[in-house]
Amino acid sequence: MSKRVLIVDDEESSRKYLSFVLTENGYEVLFAENGLEGIDKAVKEKPDLIVLDVMMPKKSGIGALQELKRTDGLEDTPVIMLSEIQAFIKKAREEIDSDETMDKITGLLQNVDSRAEKFLLRFRQYRKALLNEREGLIDKFRRGEKVGVPVLPDLFMDKPIDAEDFIQAVKELIGTD
Amino acid sequence: MQQLETIKENTLRELTVLYVEDDPLLREELAKFLLRRVKKLYLAENGEAGLELFEKNKPDMVLSDVRMPVMDGLKMSEIIKKKSHNTPVILATAYDDSDLLIKAIDIGVDKFIKKPIKIDILLEDMYRNAKIYFLEKKKHQTDLFLQAILDGITYPNLNNIINFIPYPFYIINASDYSIVYANSSASKDNRWMNMTCHKLTHKSDTPCDSEEHTCPLIEVKKTKSPVVVEHIHYDKDNIPKNYEVHGYPILDDEENVVQMIEFSIDITQRKIAEEKFMRLTISAQDAIVMIDDKGNISFWNNAAERIFGYEQQEVIGKNMHSLIAPEKYYRKFLQGFDKFKATGQGNVVGRTIELTAIRKNGEEFPVELSVSSIQLEGLWHSVGIVRDVTQRKELEKKVEEEMEKRLQSEKKIVENECQATIGLAITQIIHGAKNILNSLKGGKHIVDIALNNNNIDLIREGWDVTQTGISRMEQLTHGLLDLSRFNKLNLQPASLNTLADEIIHAFHDMEEDTEAKVVAETAVNLPEISFDYKAIHTAVMNLVSNAIAACQEKEYKGGEKGRVLIRTFHDENYAVMDIEDNGCGISEDEIDKIFALFYSTKFSKGNGLGLPITKKIIEEHNGKLEVLSEVNRGTTFRLKFPVRI
């Protein structure tokens, strides 16, 4: 059974383009036109990967991401955010009220230098460890105390999207079959 | 002039004149003229006759020819001058004879006039000499009067006069301080009889000897000349008052002081004024500095001591400029000072100027100086009021600095805002461009693969995606162009109703797709206005598109459907067009931002240019764009165009 990818983007041409690339490479594609619809589809269909645009009506990519990652069964579903990192931070700053969360997000994103770290960021446990280490809270983490985790996508990809890069990223994240 | 002439005429009318001339014709002619102008005129035909008349009548003035038979004018003048030196003598002569002139001056002739006599010159000379003559005569009488007092001679009525003058007047014996005479202002009912001066005026049994009350008699005896002292005397009503006491010595033949005339002037008022002045100057916050006609300090108040740091005794009599004024002012001061000494006028007099002064410790500090002039005993002094404005200047400087700082920071804020706006604009344009590029790239990718596979259907699909990108690129470019457009409006008279009809027509075919019905309600009485049809079309299309988008955003319930209404009506001076929708509405937070450049609520479908462009177009037409909105109820945009009557 082929892996399923949910594309959440309000722009039709973008949806057409990405779905073409994905189906060409043997993935099954689901669509949603805005954040709200995206969450509904994701909860119902449990896709293997979610591709999220940031600027969307009804619910933006930021809001959708927050909710998806807090939904049972979707916490570890990888997400590709169709945005540049700085634009994401800017948009997030408009939507997220908590300074603490924003500090964590920018702290994590702005200090990501190596490709390895960037890649590893997608793993929730690593993210948690990284965050706790940085804050000197390893002990706390070891004792198993709950620590707020900022909601980040697994990968940022800025438009215009290169078909080959895109499919390579998808493969890296969820494999082919 | 009139007045002066009158004074002259009156003076001459007081005058008795002796006129000596041997030429009968000349004599009669001038006599006829003078008779009408002087008090009395005596005529003589030679010196001898003139002398006789002079002895007999003692005229005030003599006017005479020089060359005459029997006795010439010069001889006669000599004798007259010997007898009465003060009588003015005017000689008329036809000759320019220097010997004669020197002799005449020796004799004491007062004036020469040339023959033939010019009447106006003669009158002028007569007036001048008469004036001096009368003044001297008066002075002589005063002298006689004073002499009479000093000599102790009882002058007719002198006693009465002295008794009634308003100043206390005494004659005191030098040997025992006893009062020989006191007038009614000094003592009532002859109480002074058998009293000493100190008993009467000080109620003291011993003569004054304190420093505040030095005894004038002792002084007069010592110096044998008049003295002035200040005393507190009991007046005739037994009230103590401040007096300025004048003492004059009366000397015997051996120059010994035998008696002293004393008279006192009540200076209570002056004292009060002085006291007031002192208090004023002491309490004054500003330095009060007076300099005399030599530029030396003659007055220095407490504030001056405080401000400049010099004690009064350190500065009195010192040159003001070298003490407290910076050198840079000295030349200017000297330039003006001579004029000031002569007239009391100067460049700084009567004005307030700002300059600097120097304290004792050498510190130069800013002052405000106002200078006025006063004449004391014929000499011009200047009084400067000096205000230390150091603190004020510092404050002014601080305020100025603060203002500058604020200005700078405001400038910076504006710059930052400007940069932020530009930054935002660029970000948004790039964002738009990226999306467009994404469509183009996607289209290209699909077409590439379709070409490789010879798949015509796929080419169509790819071409669709590409076209989306192209049309969005067109939208963005047009939008940016509209926004930066500077070309003139093409104003033509037309009706907004025509425009409304055309727009609903354009949306007629799309109704099914858009899920929102676009309808119009036009007013029949709507006046035509002048507007750029194309521009307003763009503006209204933007608003209608927004309205449709707002309807799409809303989830309608209970059979309600999306509806956009274009309504026109006439409102006094305006032709109005409303674009009203029943869509999602705009929240209060957002309503302030909707006209901002690149602000969009439509995400991928909007580029944030529509409303700024619309607003710009309406404002270029001197119209107004108003917005009223309620979340989930709908939004109305109102366009108001002025109707020219």
Side-chain angles (χ1 to χ4, degrees):
Chain A
M1 195 186 150
S2 52
K3 299 234 163 131
R4 295 184 308 158
V5 178
L6 171 63
I7 298 172
V8 189
D9 194 332
D10 62 327
E11 201 175 344
E12 201 195 350
S13 63
S14 181
R15 288 198 304 270
K16 272 189 185 166
Y17 171 33
L18 296 180
S19 77
F20 179 81
V21 175
L22 288 167
T23 42
E24 207 190 5
N25 284 277
Y27 293 96
E28 195 183 324
V29 183
L30 307 162
F31 296 108
E33 289 186 25
N34 58 58
L36 274 184
E37 212 183 307
I39 291 162
D40 275 0
K41 277 258 168 80
V43 170
K44 265 186 222 154
E45 307 280 346
K46 299 271 186 308
D48 298 295
L49 172 71
I50 301 165
V51 178
L52 267 179
D53 188 20
V54 179
M55 306 277 271
M56 285 186 298
K58 299 203 173 156
K59 196 174 246 345
S60 76
I62 309 277
L65 181 67
Q66 306 263 346
E67 234 173 287
L68 288 172
K69 290 281 177 181
R70 286 193 178 90
T71 307
D72 284 344
L74 289 175
E75 307 102 313
D76 284 325
T77 307
V79 173
I80 295 176
M81 185 66 75
L82 297 180
S83 170
E84 191 211 349
I85 290 177
Q86 292 308 320
F88 174 83
I89 291 173
K90 217 177 128 202
K91 184 76 182 155
R93 214 180 279 282
E94 285 171 23
E95 292 195 19
I96 295 172
D97 265 348
S98 164
D99 285 345
E100 204 190 334
T101 309
M102 272 320 293
D103 284 350
K104 283 177 183 172
I105 288 177
T106 51
L108 275 172
L109 290 178
Q110 280 176 343
N111 297 320
V112 175
D113 296 325
S114 70
R115 283 180 72 99
E117 224 179 23
K118 212 182 250 179
F119 181 73
L120 282 169
L121 265 180
R122 75 188 176 85
F123 298 107
R124 187 185 164 102
Q125 293 306 317
Y126 174 77
R127 216 154 59 216
K128 223 174 210 174
L130 188 68
L131 188 68
N132 280 291
E133 190 186 5
R134 282 188 183 172
E135 290 183 349
L137 292 171
I138 292 173
D139 286 347
K140 222 174 172 185
F141 177 65
R142 278 182 189 146
R143 284 198 304 272
E145 285 174 30
K146 263 207 163 182
V147 178
V149 182
V151 181
L152 289 176
D154 295 74
L155 210 68
F156 288 101
M157 290 203 92
D158 197 14
K159 287 179 180 175
I161 287 158
D162 188 84
E164 274 171 31
D165 286 353
F166 179 65
I167 208 67
Q168 197 194 334
V170 173
K171 279 178 183 168
E172 269 181 33
L173 284 167
I174 55 169
T176 39
D177 291 300
Chain B
M1 285 312 275
Q2 194 71 39
Q3 243 174 344
L4 186 64
E5 287 308 310
T6 316
I7 291 167
K8 282 183 186 175
E9 280 174 19
N10 288 345
T11 308
L12 290 177
R13 242 184 265 285
E14 291 292 306
L15 209 59
T16 55
V17 180
L18 168 65
Y19 177 36
V20 191
E21 170 63 62
D22 59 334
D23 184 336
L25 223 74
L26 254 169
R27 192 173 63 226
E28 290 310 316
E29 198 187 330
L30 193 63
K32 246 199 296 187
F33 179 80
L34 285 176
L35 262 174
R36 281 182 284 136
R37 284 177 170 73
V38 300
K39 189 177 172 186
K40 190 134 182 88
L41 185 67
Y42 305 98
L43 296 174
E45 68 279 3
N46 62 51
E48 208 176 68
L51 215 50
E52 228 171 274
L53 277 175
F54 183 82
E55 294 285 350
K56 205 170 125 194
N57 299 307
K58 299 266 184 276
D60 299 323
M61 185 180 284
V62 178
L63 174 62
S64 174
D65 189 17
V66 180
R67 311 253 162 167
M68 287 181 299
V70 190
M71 184 193 277
D72 68 14
L74 217 51
K75 184 75 195 162
M76 181 191 74
S77 300
E78 196 178 349
I79 298 165
I80 288 173
K81 275 287 178 188
K82 264 184 194 153
K83 283 180 191 283
S84 171
H85 180 76
N86 285 333
T87 306
V89 175
I90 299 171
L91 289 185
T93 172
Y95 308 96
D96 188 11
D97 187 338
S98 55
D99 283 347
L100 182 90
L101 211 68
I102 288 161
K103 199 163 177 221
I105 289 164
D106 279 346
I107 290 164
V109 167
D110 296 86
K111 183 75 197 167
F112 278 97
I113 58 170
K114 270 199 172 158
K115 273 180 140 181
I117 292 170
K118 281 196 177 128
I119 293 298
D120 51 345
I121 290 172
L122 174 70
L123 285 179
E124 187 63 33
D125 285 337
M126 282 173 73
Y127 163 69
R128 279 197 195 151
N129 283 289
K131 200 171 71 179
I132 295 163
Y133 171 73
F134 284 134
L135 272 179
E136 289 204 338
K137 199 168 161 184
K138 245 182 219 161
K139 188 168 159 271
H140 181 63
Q141 281 169 349
T142 317
D143 286 349
L144 281 177
F145 173 75
L146 279 176
Q147 197 60 43
I149 296 167
L150 293 176
D151 290 349
I153 295 164
T154 312
Y155 204 77
N157 292 326
L158 183 64
N159 228 342
N160 274 341
I161 293 165
I162 290 172
N163 204 23
F164 290 111
I165 58 171
Y167 306 110
F169 183 98
Y170 323 81
I171 296 170
I172 299 162
N173 260 337
S175 54
D176 58 0
Y177 299 93
S178 63
I179 299 171
V180 182
Y181 174 82
N183 71 353
S184 61
S185 295
S187 161
K188 270 184 186 166
D189 313 324
N190 292 338
R191 271 196 326 120
W192 55 271
M193 298 257 197
N194 302 319
M195 261 180 147
T196 58
C197 58
H198 42 84
K199 187 78 187 169
L200 180 68
T201 59
H202 293 278
K203 300 193 172 171
S204 163
D205 291 329
T206 53
C208 304
D209 62 350
S210 69
E211 254 188 50
E212 298 95 68
H213 279 122
T214 42
C215 174
L217 183 53
I218 293 172
E219 285 294 305
V220 164
K221 280 206 274 195
K222 227 192 278 174
T223 60
K224 296 186 178 171
S225 45
V227 296
V228 179
V229 295
E230 280 182 21
H231 273 197
I232 296 171
H233 278 180
Y234 288 93
D235 74 355
K236 62 184 194 319
D237 301 313
N238 263 332
I239 297 163
K241 277 184 181 166
N242 280 294
Y243 282 104
E244 189 178 271
V245 181
H246 294 243
Y248 292 93
I250 300 173
L251 306 173
D252 64 8
D253 294 341
E254 281 147 29
E255 300 269 307
N256 292 316
V257 177
V258 285
Q259 284 180 329
M260 180 180 77
I261 294 174
E262 181 179 306
F263 72 90
S264 305
I265 296 164
D266 185 350
I267 54 164
T268 308
Q269 290 307 315
R270 199 179 84 193
K271 275 278 162 195
I272 290 170
E274 274 178 9
E275 180 77 6
K276 272 187 191 164
F277 175 69
M278 280 310 288
R279 284 204 191 140
L280 269 177
T281 60
I282 286 169
S283 64
Q285 292 300 303
D286 299 337
I288 301 174
V289 178
M290 185 156 94
I291 61 169
D292 61 20
D293 64 317
K294 287 168 199 74
N296 294 331
I297 296 167
S298 56
F299 184 82
W300 188 259
N301 74 340
N302 288 34
E305 289 185 342
R306 184 167 44 75
I307 289 170
F308 289 100
Y310 290 103
E311 302 273 313
Q312 189 184 345
Q313 56 266 30
E314 287 179 89
V315 298
I316 296 293
K318 298 256 177 72
N319 184 277
M320 184 274 292
H321 253 268
S322 49
L323 205 63
I324 57 168
E327 219 175 312
K328 58 187 172 192
Y329 300 127
Y330 194 58
R331 248 190 61 215
K332 259 217 158 133
F333 164 75
L334 276 188
Q335 282 170 5
F337 199 57
D338 279 338
K339 187 189 164 196
F340 176 80
K341 277 198 280 190
T343 63
Q345 299 294 311
N347 289 338
V348 297
V349 176
R351 286 172 47 206
T352 301
I353 51 172
E354 279 189 9
L355 30 74
T356 57
I358 296 172
R359 292 191 224 271
K360 193 180 182 182
N361 63 14
E363 183 196 338
E364 191 167 338
F365 65 106
V367 296
E368 210 175 73
L369 168 73
S370 53
V371 180
S372 50
S373 55
I374 50 166
Q375 199 175 25
L376 297 175
E377 289 159 1
L379 300 172
W380 284 103
H381 297 239
S382 59
V383 180
I385 295 175
V386 185
R387 178 168 296 179
D388 183 348
V389 292
T390 312
Q391 283 186 349
R392 201 185 74 199
K393 285 276 163 193
E394 275 168 10
L395 202 72
E396 279 174 5
K397 209 176 148 198
K398 265 187 200 160
V399 168
E400 215 167 87
E401 279 169 3
E402 183 61 29
M403 292 298 285
E404 181 65 19
K405 225 164 88 186
R406 282 188 195 176
L407 209 73
Q408 285 303 329
S409 74
E410 255 171 44
K411 226 168 134 186
K412 201 153 186 187
I413 287 169
V414 170
E415 268 171 21
N416 285 347
E417 273 177 4
C418 204
Q419 277 177 356
T421 310
I422 293 169
L424 180 70
I426 289 168
T427 311
Q428 297 291 342
I429 292 167
I430 287 170
H431 177 77
K434 275 176 177 175
N435 271 310
I436 292 159
L437 206 55
N438 194 48
S439 299
L440 296 175
K441 207 163 176 172
K444 175 186 175 286
H445 179 81
I446 297 168
V447 170
D448 277 348
I449 287 169
L451 285 174
N452 280 341
N453 301 335
N454 260 334
N455 187 339
I456 289 287
D457 287 342
L458 201 56
I459 287 177
R460 232 167 241 139
E461 206 176 310
W463 188 240
D464 264 2
V465 175
T466 311
Q467 271 183 325
T468 314
I470 290 168
S471 77
R472 290 203 48 199
M473 190 71 215
E474 276 174 353
Q475 273 176 31
L476 182 66
T477 314
H478 278 142
L480 289 171
L481 276 175
D482 279 341
L483 204 66
S484 54
R485 176 175 58 89
F486 285 110
N487 46 344
K488 266 190 160 178
L489 295 171
N490 176 24
L491 295 177
Q492 300 287 341
S495 171
L496 287 174
N497 290 345
T498 320
L499 183 71
D501 290 337
E502 192 190 317
I503 284 170
I504 58 158
H505 223 78
F507 283 99
H508 216 70
D509 304 332
M510 298 165 69
E511 258 176 47
E512 295 306 315
D513 295 349
T514 57
E515 301 162 14
K517 206 172 171 164
V518 184
V519 293
E521 268 179 35
T522 52
V524 276
N525 65 342
L526 192 74
E528 280 202 339
I529 53 166
S530 275
F531 63 96
D532 186 320
Y533 196 88
K534 227 179 124 187
I536 296 297
H537 189 274
T538 305
V540 176
M541 277 301 275
N542 280 336
L543 294 174
V544 173
S545 305
N546 283 351
I548 292 168
C551 292
Q552 285 168 341
E553 282 291 299
K554 188 173 159 182
E555 287 168 34
Y556 293 98
K557 285 165 196 159
E560 196 195 1
K561 278 195 167 177
R563 193 186 77 137
V564 179
L565 170 66
I566 302 171
R567 187 198 293 120
T568 63
F569 60 97
H570 185 199
D571 178 23
E572 291 189 13
N573 299 326
Y574 293 98
V576 185
M577 178 184 269
D578 280 355
I579 290 99
E580 186 189 291
D581 68 61
N582 59 351
C584 62
I586 306 165
S587 72
E588 274 181 47
D589 290 348
E590 283 182 316
I591 205 133
D592 295 332
K593 301 183 204 160
I594 56 170
F595 293 108
L597 205 51
F598 296 114
Y599 183 84
S600 175
T601 55
K602 292 191 296 176
F603 307 95
S604 300
K605 291 188 181 67
N607 54 23
L609 295 176
L611 276 180
I613 290 166
T614 301
K615 191 166 189 250
K616 184 173 177 255
I617 291 168
I618 306 300
E619 280 170 1
E620 278 172 349
H621 282 81
N622 293 322
K624 286 178 189 168
L625 178 59
E626 294 165 359
V627 59
L628 204 81
S629 185
E630 199 179 324
V631 173
N632 271 327
R633 293 293 291 275
T635 306
T636 302
F637 280 92
R638 174 163 291 180
L639 279 55
K640 294 170 82 174
F641 299 96
V643 179
R644 279 181 207 90
I645 305 156

